[in-house]
Amino acid sequence: MTKNSIEFDPYIERKAFDETKQGVKGLVDAKITEIPRIFHHPQDILADKKPSVCVSNLEIPIIDFASVHVDTASREAVVEKVKYAVENWGFFQVINHGIPLNVLEEIKDAVRRFHEEDPELKKSYFSRDDANKKFVYNSNFDLYGSSPSVNWRDSFSCYIAPDPPAPEEIPETCRDAMFEYSKHVLSLGGLLFELLSEALGLKSETLKSMDCLKTLLMICHYYPPCPQPDLTLGITKHSDNSFLTLLLQDNIGGLQILHQDTWVDVSPLHGALVVNIGDFLQLITNDKFLSVEHRVLANRQGPRISVASFFSSSMRPNSRVYGPMKELVSEENPPKYRDITIKEYSKIFFEKGLDGTSHLSNIRI
Protein backbone atom coordinates (compact mmCIF):
# COMPACT_ATOMS: atom_id res chain seq x y z
CA MET A 1 0.00 0.00 0.00
CA THR A 2 1.43 3.35 -0.96
CA LYS A 3 1.69 6.25 1.42
CA ASN A 4 -0.80 8.15 -0.74
CA SER A 5 -3.55 5.52 -0.56
CA ILE A 6 -3.35 5.47 3.25
CA GLU A 7 -3.78 9.22 3.33
CA PHE A 8 -6.71 9.36 0.91
CA ASP A 9 -9.98 7.72 1.87
CA PRO A 10 -12.60 9.08 -0.56
CA TYR A 11 -15.52 8.10 1.67
CA ILE A 12 -14.11 9.92 4.70
CA GLU A 13 -13.31 12.99 2.60
CA ARG A 14 -16.76 12.97 0.99
CA LYS A 15 -18.39 12.67 4.39
CA ALA A 16 -16.32 15.54 5.78
CA PHE A 17 -17.31 17.68 2.80
CA ASP A 18 -20.97 16.69 3.24
CA GLU A 19 -21.01 17.48 6.93
CA THR A 20 -20.08 21.11 6.34
CA LYS A 21 -23.56 21.43 4.72
CA GLN A 22 -22.06 24.32 2.75
CA GLY A 23 -21.45 22.52 -0.52
CA VAL A 24 -19.01 23.65 -3.19
CA LYS A 25 -20.00 27.26 -2.51
CA GLY A 26 -18.50 26.84 0.98
CA LEU A 27 -15.16 25.82 -0.55
CA VAL A 28 -15.15 28.86 -2.83
CA ASP A 29 -16.12 31.14 0.07
CA ALA A 30 -13.13 29.74 1.95
CA LYS A 31 -11.02 31.03 -0.97
CA ILE A 32 -9.42 27.70 -1.83
CA THR A 33 -6.94 27.82 -4.70
CA GLU A 34 -6.73 24.03 -5.19
CA ILE A 35 -9.78 21.80 -5.37
CA PRO A 36 -10.02 18.79 -2.99
CA ARG A 37 -9.07 15.39 -4.44
CA ILE A 38 -12.62 14.05 -4.32
CA PHE A 39 -13.41 16.48 -7.17
CA HIS A 40 -10.55 15.25 -9.39
CA HIS A 41 -11.90 13.35 -12.40
CA PRO A 42 -9.92 10.65 -14.25
CA GLN A 43 -7.76 12.15 -16.97
CA ASP A 44 -9.28 10.03 -19.76
CA ILE A 45 -12.68 11.61 -19.01
CA LEU A 46 -11.22 15.10 -19.08
CA ALA A 47 -9.08 14.58 -22.19
CA ASP A 48 -11.94 15.09 -24.67
CA LYS A 49 -13.26 18.38 -23.29
CA LYS A 50 -12.93 20.46 -26.41
CA PRO A 51 -15.31 19.77 -29.30
CA SER A 52 -13.30 18.49 -32.27
CA VAL A 53 -12.55 20.98 -35.04
CA CYS A 54 -14.50 19.29 -37.82
CA VAL A 55 -17.77 19.64 -35.90
CA SER A 56 -17.22 23.06 -34.39
CA ASN A 57 -19.92 24.29 -36.77
CA LEU A 58 -22.40 21.68 -35.50
CA GLU A 59 -25.27 23.17 -33.56
CA ILE A 60 -28.27 21.53 -31.98
CA PRO A 61 -31.48 22.48 -33.80
CA ILE A 62 -33.22 25.73 -32.81
CA ILE A 63 -37.00 25.56 -33.24
CA ASP A 64 -39.28 28.60 -33.29
CA PHE A 65 -42.69 27.93 -31.72
CA ALA A 66 -44.13 31.33 -32.72
CA SER A 67 -46.40 29.81 -35.37
CA VAL A 68 -47.44 26.61 -33.57
CA HIS A 69 -51.00 27.83 -32.89
CA VAL A 70 -51.50 29.78 -36.12
CA ASP A 71 -52.95 27.07 -38.40
CA THR A 72 -52.62 23.37 -39.16
CA ALA A 73 -49.89 23.77 -41.78
CA SER A 74 -47.73 25.90 -39.48
CA ARG A 75 -48.14 23.40 -36.65
CA GLU A 76 -47.25 20.48 -38.92
CA ALA A 77 -44.09 22.32 -39.98
CA VAL A 78 -43.09 22.68 -36.31
CA VAL A 79 -43.87 18.99 -35.68
CA GLU A 80 -41.56 18.01 -38.55
CA LYS A 81 -38.72 20.05 -37.02
CA VAL A 82 -39.33 18.53 -33.58
CA LYS A 83 -39.38 15.04 -35.12
CA TYR A 84 -36.07 15.63 -36.90
CA ALA A 85 -34.47 17.01 -33.72
CA VAL A 86 -35.54 14.23 -31.35
CA GLU A 87 -34.78 11.42 -33.79
CA ASN A 88 -31.32 12.73 -34.74
CA TRP A 89 -30.14 14.82 -31.82
CA GLY A 90 -32.32 14.06 -28.79
CA PHE A 91 -31.97 17.79 -28.03
CA PHE A 92 -33.18 21.12 -29.37
CA GLN A 93 -33.49 24.72 -28.26
CA VAL A 94 -36.90 26.35 -28.41
CA ILE A 95 -37.55 30.06 -28.91
CA ASN A 96 -40.86 31.95 -28.76
CA HIS A 97 -42.08 29.25 -26.38
CA GLY A 98 -44.50 31.53 -24.56
CA ILE A 99 -42.71 31.88 -21.21
CA PRO A 100 -42.15 35.61 -20.62
CA LEU A 101 -38.54 36.75 -20.43
CA ASN A 102 -39.06 38.36 -17.01
CA VAL A 103 -40.22 34.98 -15.62
CA LEU A 104 -37.03 33.34 -16.95
CA GLU A 105 -34.84 36.07 -15.45
CA GLU A 106 -36.62 35.96 -12.10
CA ILE A 107 -36.22 32.18 -11.62
CA LYS A 108 -32.48 32.44 -12.42
CA ASP A 109 -32.13 35.32 -9.93
CA ALA A 110 -34.08 33.33 -7.33
CA VAL A 111 -31.79 30.29 -7.70
CA ARG A 112 -28.74 32.51 -7.29
CA ARG A 113 -30.31 34.25 -4.26
CA PHE A 114 -30.94 30.97 -2.46
CA HIS A 115 -27.45 29.58 -3.13
CA GLU A 116 -25.86 32.86 -2.00
CA GLU A 117 -27.97 33.06 1.17
CA ASP A 118 -26.47 33.00 4.63
CA PRO A 119 -24.98 29.48 5.07
CA GLU A 120 -26.90 29.00 8.33
CA LEU A 121 -30.22 29.54 6.58
CA LYS A 122 -29.29 27.13 3.78
CA LYS A 123 -28.27 24.47 6.31
CA SER A 124 -31.85 24.28 7.57
CA TYR A 125 -32.85 22.95 4.13
CA PHE A 126 -29.88 20.60 3.79
CA SER A 127 -30.93 16.95 3.54
CA ARG A 128 -30.18 13.61 1.90
CA ASP A 129 -33.78 12.47 2.41
CA ASP A 130 -35.25 13.13 -1.03
CA ALA A 131 -38.11 10.70 -0.44
CA ASN A 132 -39.83 12.55 2.40
CA LYS A 133 -39.03 16.20 1.87
CA LYS A 134 -40.57 18.47 -0.74
CA PHE A 135 -37.60 20.86 -0.90
CA VAL A 136 -34.05 19.51 -0.57
CA TYR A 137 -30.71 21.35 -0.78
CA ASN A 138 -27.39 19.48 -1.02
CA SER A 139 -24.31 18.99 -3.17
CA ASN A 140 -24.15 15.94 -5.48
CA PHE A 141 -27.22 13.70 -5.00
CA ASP A 142 -24.94 10.73 -5.71
CA LEU A 143 -22.16 11.78 -3.31
CA TYR A 144 -22.25 8.34 -1.66
CA GLY A 145 -23.02 6.46 -4.89
CA SER A 146 -20.55 4.55 -7.04
CA SER A 147 -19.54 7.55 -9.16
CA PRO A 148 -15.74 7.83 -9.10
CA SER A 149 -15.58 11.61 -8.59
CA VAL A 150 -17.60 14.42 -7.06
CA ASN A 151 -18.97 17.15 -9.34
CA TRP A 152 -18.43 20.89 -8.95
CA ARG A 153 -21.99 22.04 -8.21
CA ASP A 154 -24.63 22.53 -5.53
CA SER A 155 -28.34 22.01 -6.11
CA PHE A 156 -31.77 22.23 -4.62
CA SER A 157 -34.68 20.14 -5.81
CA CYS A 158 -38.43 20.29 -5.42
CA TYR A 159 -41.35 18.16 -6.62
CA ILE A 160 -43.75 20.78 -7.87
CA ALA A 161 -46.51 18.63 -9.45
CA PRO A 162 -48.90 16.90 -9.03
CA ASP A 163 -48.74 17.72 -5.29
CA PRO A 164 -47.07 21.11 -4.95
CA PRO A 165 -45.42 21.91 -1.63
CA ALA A 166 -47.10 24.31 0.75
CA PRO A 167 -45.63 27.81 0.23
CA GLU A 168 -43.94 27.73 3.65
CA GLU A 169 -42.00 24.59 2.64
CA ILE A 170 -40.09 26.61 0.03
CA PRO A 171 -37.55 29.27 1.11
CA GLU A 172 -38.83 32.80 0.75
CA THR A 173 -35.92 33.77 -1.53
CA CYS A 174 -37.20 31.56 -4.36
CA ARG A 175 -40.81 30.72 -3.46
CA ASP A 176 -42.77 33.05 -5.76
CA ALA A 177 -40.40 32.57 -8.67
CA MET A 178 -40.62 28.77 -8.47
CA PHE A 179 -44.41 28.70 -8.41
CA GLU A 180 -44.65 31.18 -11.28
CA TYR A 181 -42.01 29.51 -13.47
CA SER A 182 -43.33 25.98 -12.89
CA LYS A 183 -46.84 27.05 -13.93
CA HIS A 184 -45.43 28.09 -17.33
CA VAL A 185 -43.25 24.95 -17.58
CA LEU A 186 -46.27 22.68 -17.07
CA SER A 187 -48.12 24.53 -19.80
CA LEU A 188 -45.18 24.35 -22.24
CA GLY A 189 -44.65 20.69 -21.27
CA GLY A 190 -48.24 19.97 -22.28
CA LEU A 191 -47.62 21.48 -25.71
CA LEU A 192 -44.33 19.60 -26.14
CA PHE A 193 -45.94 16.23 -25.34
CA GLU A 194 -48.67 17.01 -27.91
CA LEU A 195 -46.09 17.81 -30.59
CA LEU A 196 -44.05 14.70 -29.69
CA SER A 197 -47.19 12.53 -29.92
CA GLU A 198 -47.90 14.02 -33.35
CA ALA A 199 -44.27 13.42 -34.37
CA LEU A 200 -44.92 9.72 -33.66
CA GLY A 201 -47.97 9.85 -35.95
CA LEU A 202 -50.29 9.44 -32.96
CA LYS A 203 -53.11 11.51 -31.47
CA SER A 204 -52.01 14.71 -29.70
CA GLU A 205 -53.09 13.50 -26.26
CA THR A 206 -51.35 10.09 -26.44
CA LEU A 207 -48.28 10.83 -24.30
CA LYS A 208 -50.26 12.94 -21.81
CA SER A 209 -52.70 10.04 -21.37
CA MET A 210 -49.70 7.91 -20.33
CA ASP A 211 -48.99 10.28 -17.41
CA CYS A 212 -45.82 11.67 -19.02
CA LEU A 213 -46.85 15.18 -17.94
CA LYS A 214 -48.10 14.24 -14.50
CA THR A 215 -45.04 14.74 -12.32
CA LEU A 216 -42.63 17.66 -12.42
CA LEU A 217 -39.34 17.74 -10.52
CA MET A 218 -37.35 20.99 -10.56
CA ILE A 219 -33.62 20.84 -9.85
CA CYS A 220 -31.85 24.18 -9.62
CA HIS A 221 -28.07 24.04 -10.02
CA TYR A 222 -25.38 26.47 -8.91
CA TYR A 223 -21.89 25.96 -10.38
CA PRO A 224 -19.45 28.22 -8.51
CA PRO A 225 -16.37 29.50 -10.35
CA CYS A 226 -13.71 26.79 -10.18
CA PRO A 227 -10.01 27.54 -9.52
CA GLN A 228 -8.93 24.36 -11.39
CA PRO A 229 -11.60 23.67 -14.03
CA ASP A 230 -9.28 21.33 -15.96
CA LEU A 231 -9.36 18.79 -13.11
CA THR A 232 -13.11 18.42 -12.62
CA LEU A 233 -16.58 18.61 -14.19
CA GLY A 234 -19.79 20.43 -13.34
CA ILE A 235 -21.81 17.30 -14.11
CA THR A 236 -20.46 13.98 -15.36
CA LYS A 237 -21.73 12.40 -18.58
CA HIS A 238 -25.27 11.03 -18.14
CA SER A 239 -28.66 10.70 -19.78
CA ASP A 240 -31.79 11.88 -17.95
CA ASN A 241 -34.02 9.84 -15.67
CA SER A 242 -37.15 11.44 -17.19
CA PHE A 243 -39.61 11.45 -20.09
CA LEU A 244 -38.58 14.97 -21.03
CA THR A 245 -36.36 17.67 -19.56
CA LEU A 246 -36.63 21.44 -20.02
CA LEU A 247 -33.48 23.32 -19.15
CA LEU A 248 -33.03 27.03 -18.62
CA GLN A 249 -29.35 28.01 -18.61
CA ASP A 250 -27.69 31.36 -18.10
CA ASN A 251 -25.16 32.92 -20.49
CA ILE A 252 -21.99 31.23 -19.16
CA GLY A 253 -22.19 27.98 -21.13
CA GLY A 254 -20.54 24.64 -20.45
CA LEU A 255 -23.34 22.26 -21.44
CA GLN A 256 -22.21 19.71 -24.03
CA ILE A 257 -24.04 16.82 -25.68
CA LEU A 258 -22.57 13.66 -27.17
CA HIS A 259 -23.51 13.61 -30.85
CA GLN A 260 -21.98 11.04 -33.22
CA ASP A 261 -19.26 10.30 -30.65
CA THR A 262 -18.27 13.96 -30.43
CA TRP A 263 -18.96 16.53 -27.73
CA VAL A 264 -20.97 19.46 -29.10
CA ASP A 265 -21.41 22.72 -27.19
CA VAL A 266 -24.98 23.82 -26.50
CA SER A 267 -24.37 27.53 -26.81
CA PRO A 268 -26.53 29.71 -24.55
CA LEU A 269 -29.25 31.54 -26.47
CA HIS A 270 -30.90 34.38 -24.59
CA GLY A 271 -34.55 33.62 -23.86
CA ALA A 272 -34.37 30.07 -25.22
CA LEU A 273 -35.02 26.81 -23.38
CA VAL A 274 -33.12 23.58 -24.03
CA VAL A 275 -35.41 20.55 -24.46
CA ASN A 276 -34.13 17.01 -24.31
CA ILE A 277 -35.58 13.52 -24.47
CA GLY A 278 -35.16 11.41 -21.33
CA ASP A 279 -34.61 7.66 -20.93
CA PHE A 280 -38.32 6.81 -20.48
CA LEU A 281 -39.30 8.44 -23.76
CA GLN A 282 -36.57 6.48 -25.57
CA LEU A 283 -37.93 3.34 -23.90
CA ILE A 284 -41.64 3.85 -24.73
CA THR A 285 -40.89 5.01 -28.30
CA ASN A 286 -38.75 1.88 -28.76
CA ASP A 287 -35.62 3.91 -29.68
CA LYS A 288 -37.45 6.21 -32.13
CA PHE A 289 -36.61 9.21 -29.91
CA LEU A 290 -33.10 9.45 -28.47
CA SER A 291 -32.12 10.08 -24.87
CA VAL A 292 -28.66 11.53 -25.39
CA GLU A 293 -25.76 11.72 -22.97
CA HIS A 294 -24.66 15.18 -21.90
CA ARG A 295 -22.44 16.87 -19.31
CA VAL A 296 -21.44 20.27 -17.96
CA LEU A 297 -17.86 21.55 -17.86
CA ALA A 298 -16.45 23.35 -14.84
CA ASN A 299 -15.50 26.96 -15.51
CA ARG A 300 -13.35 29.74 -14.07
CA GLN A 301 -16.28 32.07 -14.71
CA GLY A 302 -19.30 31.88 -12.52
CA PRO A 303 -21.47 31.19 -10.84
CA ARG A 304 -23.32 29.40 -13.63
CA ILE A 305 -27.04 28.99 -12.93
CA SER A 306 -29.32 26.42 -14.52
CA VAL A 307 -32.86 25.26 -13.84
CA ALA A 308 -33.72 21.73 -14.98
CA SER A 309 -37.39 20.71 -15.04
CA PHE A 310 -37.81 16.93 -15.28
CA PHE A 311 -41.10 15.35 -16.27
CA SER A 312 -40.63 12.18 -14.23
CA SER A 313 -42.11 10.62 -11.10
CA SER A 314 -38.63 9.29 -10.32
CA MET A 315 -38.66 7.75 -6.82
CA ARG A 316 -42.24 8.85 -6.05
CA PRO A 317 -44.91 6.12 -5.77
CA ASN A 318 -46.15 5.22 -9.26
CA SER A 319 -47.36 1.71 -10.02
CA ARG A 320 -47.69 2.27 -13.76
CA VAL A 321 -45.60 -0.11 -15.85
CA TYR A 322 -43.91 1.25 -18.97
CA GLY A 323 -42.64 -0.58 -22.02
CA PRO A 324 -42.46 0.12 -25.77
CA MET A 325 -45.84 1.50 -26.96
CA LYS A 326 -48.05 -1.06 -28.69
CA GLU A 327 -48.66 1.37 -31.59
CA LEU A 328 -44.93 1.50 -32.35
CA VAL A 329 -44.00 -2.20 -32.28
CA SER A 330 -44.60 -4.84 -34.93
CA GLU A 331 -43.09 -8.08 -36.19
CA GLU A 332 -40.58 -6.03 -38.16
CA ASN A 333 -39.93 -3.75 -35.19
CA PRO A 334 -40.22 -5.87 -32.03
CA PRO A 335 -39.96 -4.38 -28.52
CA LYS A 336 -36.36 -3.51 -27.63
CA TYR A 337 -36.93 -3.14 -23.87
CA ARG A 338 -38.59 -5.08 -21.10
CA ASP A 339 -41.42 -3.51 -19.11
CA ILE A 340 -40.39 -1.62 -15.98
CA THR A 341 -41.78 0.87 -13.46
CA ILE A 342 -40.20 4.30 -13.21
CA LYS A 343 -39.48 3.71 -9.54
CA GLU A 344 -37.58 0.49 -10.26
CA TYR A 345 -35.59 2.24 -12.99
CA SER A 346 -34.89 5.28 -10.81
CA LYS A 347 -33.73 3.20 -7.84
CA ILE A 348 -30.86 1.79 -9.91
CA PHE A 349 -30.22 5.22 -11.51
CA PHE A 350 -29.71 6.80 -8.07
CA GLU A 351 -27.73 3.89 -6.63
CA LYS A 352 -25.20 3.89 -9.45
CA GLY A 353 -25.11 7.69 -9.66
CA LEU A 354 -23.79 9.62 -12.64
CA ASP A 355 -21.16 7.09 -13.59
CA GLY A 356 -21.23 7.87 -17.31
CA THR A 357 -23.36 4.91 -18.41
CA SER A 358 -27.05 4.79 -19.33
CA HIS A 359 -29.20 2.33 -17.42
CA LEU A 360 -31.27 1.71 -20.57
CA SER A 361 -28.69 -0.80 -21.78
CA ASN A 362 -29.49 -2.98 -18.75
CA ILE A 363 -33.16 -3.41 -19.66
CA ARG A 364 -32.68 -4.09 -23.36
CA ILE A 365 -34.20 -7.35 -24.54
Side-chain angles (χ1 to χ4, degrees):
M1 196 180 249
T2 66
K3 179 171 177 284
N4 204 27
S5 62
I6 297 169
E7 284 174 8
F8 182 49
D9 181 326
Y11 176 78
I12 290 174
E13 296 206 10
R14 288 180 191 212
K15 195 161 172 48
F17 165 69
D18 204 30
E19 284 173 352
T20 67
K21 298 185 177 178
Q22 293 189 39
V24 177
K25 173 83 166 57
L27 299 173
V28 174
D29 289 346
K31 301 200 165 27
I32 61 160
T33 53
E34 294 186 1
I35 65 172
R37 284 172 294 186
I38 54 171
F39 292 94
H40 290 204
H41 283 252
Q43 271 311 306
D44 58 325
I45 289 175
L46 299 170
D48 61 354
K49 273 191 171 182
K50 289 281 163 277
S52 69
V53 182
C54 61
V55 296
S56 58
N57 60 344
L58 267 186
E59 273 194 322
I60 73 164
I62 296 166
I63 305 178
D64 189 340
F65 274 17
S67 63
V68 78
H69 298 300
V70 173
D71 53 39
T72 309
S74 306
R75 186 177 175 107
E76 283 172 357
V78 172
V79 169
E80 275 309 306
K81 288 178 180 162
V82 168
K83 183 176 191 291
Y84 169 80
V86 297
E87 288 181 358
N88 294 281
W89 285 84
F91 268 78
F92 60 91
Q93 297 210 60
V94 57
I95 56 173
N96 294 315
H97 42 64
I99 306 184
L101 202 54
N102 64 313
V103 173
L104 302 181
E105 293 306 316
E106 179 51 31
I107 186 67
K108 286 187 290 191
D109 289 348
V111 172
R112 180 194 276 254
R113 277 197 303 271
F114 174 81
H115 284 289
E116 294 179 357
E117 263 284 8
D118 182 287
E120 291 309 309
L121 179 130
K122 283 198 301 189
K123 280 181 190 178
S124 64
Y125 291 98
F126 188 94
S127 175
R128 292 267 164 213
D129 181 13
D130 294 342
N132 298 306
K133 284 188 182 280
K134 288 279 177 83
F135 183 99
V136 166
Y137 150 68
N138 59 39
S139 184
N140 288 264
F141 76 86
D142 55 346
L143 185 69
Y144 298 115
S146 56
S147 42
S149 308
V150 180
N151 288 319
W152 193 259
R153 74 177 191 289
D154 300 330
S155 314
F156 66 79
S157 61
C158 181
Y159 279 96
I160 211 101
D163 309 306
E168 61 273 14
E169 291 180 273
I170 298 185
E172 208 176 328
T173 43
C174 51
R175 183 183 301 156
D176 293 348
M178 284 181 73
F179 282 126
E180 181 63 22
Y181 178 66
S182 61
K183 193 172 71 186
H184 289 282
V185 165
L186 283 163
S187 170
L188 178 58
L191 172 61
L192 284 162
F193 281 118
E194 287 178 13
L195 299 174
L196 289 164
S197 300
E198 291 164 35
L200 290 166
L202 304 170
K203 290 195 177 94
S204 301
E205 301 300 309
T206 306
L207 290 171
K208 286 199 261 190
S209 71
M210 296 175 69
D211 290 342
C212 296
L213 184 69
K214 190 176 173 186
T215 311
L216 179 65
L217 168 65
M218 277 176 73
I219 305 185
C220 302
H221 295 304
Y222 183 94
Y223 302 85
C226 181
Q228 295 178 302
D230 295 339
L231 298 179
T232 190
L233 285 168
I235 295 188
T236 324
K237 179 177 85 160
H238 67 287
S239 58
D240 285 353
N241 179 45
S242 67
F243 288 104
L244 194 67
T245 306
L246 261 67
L247 180 84
L248 170 63
Q249 59 170 346
D250 66 11
N251 61 348
I252 286 181
L255 173 64
Q256 295 183 329
I257 73 164
L258 195 56
H259 178 71
Q260 297 171 352
D261 293 330
T262 304
W263 288 108
V264 176
D265 287 325
V266 181
S267 303
L269 187 59
H270 188 59
L273 286 163
V274 180
V275 179
N276 68 281
I277 299 297
D279 290 354
F280 305 130
L281 214 45
Q282 177 164 334
L283 183 152
I284 65 174
T285 63
N286 211 34
D287 284 355
K288 199 160 173 55
F289 293 171
L290 299 177
S291 175
V292 170
E293 292 176 323
H294 50 288
R295 67 181 183 186
V296 175
L297 304 182
N299 206 314
R300 284 190 190 278
Q301 282 178 286
R304 176 181 185 267
I305 306 290
S306 73
V307 181
S309 302
F310 298 92
F311 287 99
S312 169
S313 56
S314 197
M315 296 295 282
R316 299 274 142 160
N318 178 354
S319 57
R320 188 164 187 147
V321 175
Y322 288 93
M325 295 160 76
K326 304 280 181 284
E327 302 93 325
L328 302 179
V329 297
S330 61
E331 275 185 43
E332 297 76 50
N333 184 28
K336 297 187 169 114
Y337 300 99
R338 66 178 174 85
D339 290 359
I340 193 167
T341 66
I342 291 180
K343 191 165 182 180
E344 182 193 346
Y345 189 95
S346 301
K347 186 172 184 294
I348 299 162
F349 180 90
F350 287 112
E351 280 170 3
K352 75 184 190 65
L354 303 181
D355 63 356
T357 61
S358 167
H359 179 43
L360 277 176
S361 55
N362 299 327
I363 58 166
R364 274 192 183 275
I365 292 172

